[in-house]
Amino acid sequence: MAIARRKFDAVIVGAGGAGMRAALQLSEAGLKVAVLSKVFPTRSHTVAAQGGIAAALGNVTEDNWHWHMYDTVKGSDYLGDQDAIEFMCRQANEVVYELEHFGMPFDRLENGKIYQRPFGGQSQNFGGAQATRSCAAADRTGHAMLHTLYQRNVRANTQFFIEWMGLDLIRDEQGDVLGVTAMEMETGEVMVLEAKATLFATGGAGRIFQASTNAFINTGDGLGMTARAGIPLEDMEFWQFHPTGVYGVGVLISEAVRGEGGYLLNKDGERFMQRYAPHAKDLASRDVVSRALTMEIKEGRGCGKDADHLLLKLDHLGADVINMRLPGIREIAIKFAQVDPIKEPIPVVPTAHYMMGGIPTNFHGQVVAPYKTGPEEVVPGFYAVGECACVSVHGANRLGTNSLLDIIVFGRAAGNQIIEDLKKSPHHKPLPVDVADRTLARLARLESQKGGESVAQVGTALRKTMQAHCGVFRFADMLKEGVAKIGEVAERAAQTEIKDKSKVFNTARIEALELDNLAEVALATMVSAEARNESRGAHARDDFPERDDEKWLKHTLYFSTDRRLDYKPVRLKPMTVESFPPKPRVY
Amino acid sequence: MKELERARWRCRRGLLELDIVLQRFMDRHYLQLSDKDLQQFATLLDLSDNDLWDMVTSRKEPEDAGLRPLLELLQAV
């Protein structure tokens, strides 16, 4: 079957903040750039980022990038690569001023400088007083960023392929990446998009969990494509859980509710956080509160007929405070929990929020893998940035406001690296003859499948398995069982059947293809988590409650093709400053 | 052809809140919508996520008052 082909200098999959920042760099340099997106670019999940973007501008209180670097290394529970963290923190001011110059509507101080606000985990003077480091556009920083970048890209002639889904990575015999296969949803046609540089910016994959704050589009498509192409995924056991997602739907209830005096209760009406964090109580850090909720449920003190959630009480704050200081919370509770928080508590559970792991890259955005001789060899032609990448600046735990910084710093860095790399290799390499075979085989399987389960059914099984076996708190027996179970789910995912076989706008087919990617991410997560016999950052093991730097100060690499694990050292040596050696992480 | 599918896909948003509300709306109301409603629904779907969410939660009024009946359905799901 002849497949249509199109050639570009660079193909970017994903049009969130990371993809659009990279695209802008490339288009403004005069390169021919295609950006693929499943949805209209400004509807990417970056829009959900509220907190702001971290940069040590020092507009409100004294600050410097080295303090920011320390906070990030400590926050990562020492799993973050210190060269990448130094790179990110040093560039923060510049990229924020650049966004300002692009027209991003940051909030202002009276003196006209960018307004900054304090945020958890940010300190002055290496763990001293609270820093004021987050630059924000009201509580809609991600939204403002996306719109600013989209407008700039349109002006720079970036070519958007909207409602297109990337399907598989194209690699030749040497392992070089030469583009992607992709499907246009409107026609159902598969096309080969040939590129000298292929960049993935496909975002997170929180939809592998039953309780997730992520939008439905976050199915880990870039990770699935990468894993199928024989490139490992890094540190997939590390997922950040937010303690208060609305039970049953996942919608986030902001930390501001507890900041204003709301607190958590178990089925006995007890303020259980007092037992877990006697000082900070309900305001302890996200991982601590999430673990406490999980313990309460595990020990039978959960609420409701299935004893599977806790309650967030705020009625004592009174209608005025709730309406004035917590805008939007009441609407969310009524709409998604069917309770009016002025009268009743909100049912909540710890909810998957952010994936720290991903496609392994260096701080130039180049994908690195141990596929030839060294553990971190550049995969020519392949780049990744944003939540789908593991650079790794967040290590085992991400700090709030560092993800918007991550996507902008590394989006730009990857753009610059591609410009340099294309000067050295300005021509397209010849495509392999079997260029689209993998993709066509997957589609043919779907077309001819008889007697398989529905995508929805297998998707539900996948999410339930991940939630039960690989959630906030992890138990050896549950993980072991989980590896077997998720393996079975992956088998079932490979045999789903769709009723609609038509070509035009077939969302059933799209969802089946998304499930392939979810299955890759779920397997990588479960297998990596089962093997890591320590607790570090977001990975909390019941049987190994301590961090073990002796044995586990290393990055996990998961290879999908034979479900094998390998490890590589953490980059403890920064670019110019002294290393921050691992210390107990106390706040 | 495939208008339902197109609409369903365009209900995929950047905000989970909207994903859920729009999915409920599709399940409960989409098939009963008149041609005029369908057109207005398409107009709403073209809004940015935050603008649409503000209207769904009654924090912002649509510029076109004609969108109100449809918005009321969205507010109630």
Side-chain angles (χ1 to χ4, degrees):
Chain A
M1 189 172 120
I3 290 182
R5 294 179 180 189
R6 289 187 68 174
K7 273 189 182 182
F8 297 90
D9 291 318
V11 167
I12 295 176
V13 186
M20 287 212 284
R21 184 63 193 83
L24 184 60
Q25 205 69 3
L26 297 171
S27 291
E28 286 188 340
L31 297 179
K32 191 178 171 195
V33 183
V35 178
L36 272 63
S37 182
K38 290 197 289 188
V39 298
F40 195 78
T42 54
R43 288 175 211 152
S44 305
H45 193 51
T46 305
V47 84
Q50 301 179 342
I53 174 167
L57 303 179
N59 286 352
V60 176
T61 53
E62 193 193 343
D63 208 352
N64 81 55
W65 66 263
H66 200 193
W67 299 348
H68 182 191
M69 178 182 171
Y70 168 80
D71 293 335
T72 306
V73 172
K74 178 183 171 188
S76 80
D77 220 352
Y78 299 91
L79 192 70
D81 286 335
Q82 297 195 19
D83 55 349
I85 295 174
E86 177 178 344
F87 182 86
M88 177 176 83
C89 297
R90 285 181 82 125
Q91 292 217 341
N93 293 13
E94 196 182 322
V95 298
V96 165
Y97 291 135
E98 207 171 47
L99 285 169
E100 181 184 31
H101 169 76
F102 290 164
M104 179 154 158
F106 284 111
D107 292 346
R108 301 278 162 185
L109 293 162
E110 271 184 16
N111 64 12
K113 289 183 178 174
I114 292 173
Y115 169 83
Q116 296 190 276
R117 63 181 170 213
F119 219 87
Q122 305 282 21
S123 74
Q124 290 180 298
N125 219 352
F126 312 107
Q130 175 70 45
T132 310
R133 192 174 291 148
S134 170
C135 314
D139 61 349
R140 298 193 162 172
T141 315
H143 173 90
M145 183 184 280
L146 265 188
H147 282 259
T148 304
L149 289 174
Y150 180 65
Q151 298 303 338
R152 287 293 284 207
N153 267 291
V154 169
R155 217 191 302 170
N157 288 322
T158 299
Q159 198 174 338
F160 286 98
F161 287 67
I162 296 167
E163 294 178 344
W164 279 66
M165 181 178 177
L167 298 180
D168 281 295
L169 205 55
I170 298 168
R171 297 183 83 187
D172 66 9
E173 265 181 27
Q174 286 76 47
D176 295 9
V177 170
L178 308 179
V180 290
T181 55
M183 179 183 278
E184 180 181 26
M185 295 187 197
E186 184 56 46
T187 60
E189 297 295 341
V190 174
M191 195 185 276
V192 167
L193 297 167
E194 225 182 311
K196 298 172 203 163
T198 303
L199 183 142
F200 279 3
T202 57
R207 303 306 306 174
I208 64 166
F209 291 100
Q210 200 174 21
S212 169
T213 67
N214 283 198
F216 293 173
I217 47 178
N218 290 19
T219 54
D221 300 335
L223 286 86
M225 289 189 263
T226 302
R228 283 193 295 276
I231 296 165
L233 300 178
E234 180 175 344
D235 291 344
M236 291 301 293
E237 59 272 46
F238 296 100
W239 287 82
Q240 186 170 72
F241 288 81
H242 193 288
T244 55
V246 174
Y247 171 65
V249 286
V251 173
L252 207 97
I253 301 284
S254 153
E255 259 123 0
V257 170
R258 281 169 287 137
E260 289 294 336
Y263 52 80
L264 290 154
L265 296 175
N266 63 19
K267 72 163 179 168
D268 304 323
E270 181 204 1
R271 283 190 70 173
F272 59 88
M273 278 312 301
Q274 298 180 117
R275 270 189 280 119
Y276 297 91
H279 296 288
K281 298 192 185 79
D282 296 84
L283 289 174
S285 67
R286 278 182 189 172
D287 50 345
V288 172
V289 183
S290 289
R291 266 170 239 155
L293 267 79
T294 309
M295 282 311 287
E296 289 300 295
I297 294 169
K298 171 102 179 152
E299 289 173 2
R301 291 188 293 275
C303 306
K305 69 172 167 52
D306 295 324
D308 58 354
H309 60 269
L310 284 308
L311 296 172
L312 178 60
K313 177 178 154 66
L314 60 159
D315 59 292
H316 57 282
L317 301 177
D320 288 348
V321 170
I322 292 171
N323 288 329
M324 295 276 297
R325 310 281 288 275
L326 301 168
I329 295 297
R330 193 171 171 215
E331 286 100 329
I332 284 177
I334 292 172
K335 215 165 214 7
F336 299 112
Q338 291 81 46
V339 300
D340 183 347
I342 288 175
K343 298 178 203 131
E344 288 170 278
I346 308 172
V348 294
V349 284
T351 302
H353 186 52
Y354 186 87
M355 172 179 79
M356 269 75 72
I359 305 164
T361 71
N362 61 23
F363 62 77
H364 306 295
Q366 297 167 298
V367 175
V368 290
Y371 75 106
K372 281 180 186 165
T373 52
E376 292 191 312
E377 229 177 303
V378 169
V379 180
F382 193 25
Y383 308 79
V385 283
E387 191 170 340
C388 76
C390 182
V391 46
S392 139
V393 287
H394 309 304
N397 176 57
R398 176 181 69 87
L399 294 184
T401 71
N402 262 354
S403 57
L404 286 185
L405 179 61
D406 166 12
I407 65 179
I408 295 299
V409 166
F410 295 107
R412 185 174 82 147
N416 288 334
Q417 184 64 41
I418 290 171
I419 292 167
E420 286 310 305
D421 289 349
L422 264 50
K423 283 182 193 157
K424 280 176 251 152
S425 36
H427 304 291
H428 287 92
K429 280 186 83 182
L431 290 177
V433 282
D434 61 351
V435 58
D437 283 9
R438 189 203 319 271
T439 301
L440 294 178
R442 280 166 70 211
L443 291 170
R445 195 284 298 166
L446 254 184
E447 201 65 31
S448 60
Q449 183 75 46
K450 295 266 183 333
E453 289 174 273
S454 75
V455 171
Q457 206 173 352
V458 180
T460 302
L462 181 143
R463 284 182 273 275
K464 273 194 171 163
T465 306
M466 291 310 293
Q467 194 77 27
H469 293 266
C470 204
V472 174
F473 230 119
R474 293 163 177 183
F475 304 86
D477 52 337
M478 290 297 278
L479 284 166
K480 196 157 175 279
E481 223 179 274
V483 169
K485 275 196 178 177
I486 205 69
E488 287 163 27
V489 171
E491 299 278 308
R492 289 161 64 190
Q495 292 164 34
T496 51
E497 183 181 352
I498 52 171
K499 302 292 175 203
D500 181 359
K501 309 264 162 120
S502 62
K503 295 205 90 171
V504 173
F505 228 102
N506 186 337
T507 50
R509 181 177 291 133
I510 296 295
E511 283 166 1
L513 295 166
E514 286 179 331
L515 183 65
D516 287 347
N517 298 326
L518 288 166
E520 292 285 0
V521 176
L523 268 167
T525 300
M526 190 77 84
V527 171
S528 304
E530 199 264 339
R532 186 175 280 270
N533 290 335
E534 66 158 352
S535 291
R536 181 186 298 272
H539 176 67
R541 287 280 297 250
D542 175 65
D543 47 344
F544 296 97
E546 302 297 326
R547 195 177 78 198
D548 183 352
D549 291 326
E550 195 83 7
K551 289 193 193 126
W552 289 101
L553 188 57
K554 56 187 180 183
H555 294 295
T556 306
L557 294 174
Y558 166 84
F559 295 79
S560 164
T561 27
D562 45 3
R563 295 185 193 169
R564 169 174 61 90
L565 292 174
D566 196 357
Y567 294 90
K568 67 174 184 183
V570 175
R571 300 175 74 93
L572 295 170
K573 197 177 166 337
M575 298 167 72
T576 64
V577 293
E578 291 284 303
S579 180
F580 291 109
K583 284 195 295 190
R585 185 172 148 247
V586 195
Y587 286 102
Chain B
M1 203 169 72
K2 292 281 186 117
E3 284 313 314
L4 170 75
E5 299 254 292
R6 277 193 197 86
R8 203 180 276 288
W9 192 259
R10 281 158 203 167
C11 291
R12 291 256 207 141
R13 313 298 292 200
L15 292 177
L16 177 64
E17 289 87 332
L18 279 176
D19 275 340
I20 296 169
V21 165
L22 291 169
Q23 187 181 47
R24 288 179 186 168
F25 178 86
M26 289 299 294
D27 291 345
R28 291 178 202 171
H29 300 296
Y30 185 80
L31 292 176
Q32 281 84 50
L33 297 183
S34 68
D35 284 352
K36 190 170 150 236
D37 292 338
L38 287 172
Q39 232 169 32
Q40 292 182 336
F41 187 48
T43 307
L44 286 175
L45 289 183
D46 278 342
L47 291 170
S48 78
D49 276 38
N50 280 309
D51 287 339
L52 181 53
W53 180 243
D54 281 348
M55 289 181 197
V56 169
T57 53
S58 315
R59 268 185 289 173
K60 195 169 170 180
E61 281 292 309
E63 278 171 30
D64 174 3
L67 293 170
R68 243 181 239 142
L70 200 63
L71 263 179
E72 279 167 21
L73 282 181
L74 271 168
Q75 286 159 357
V77 294

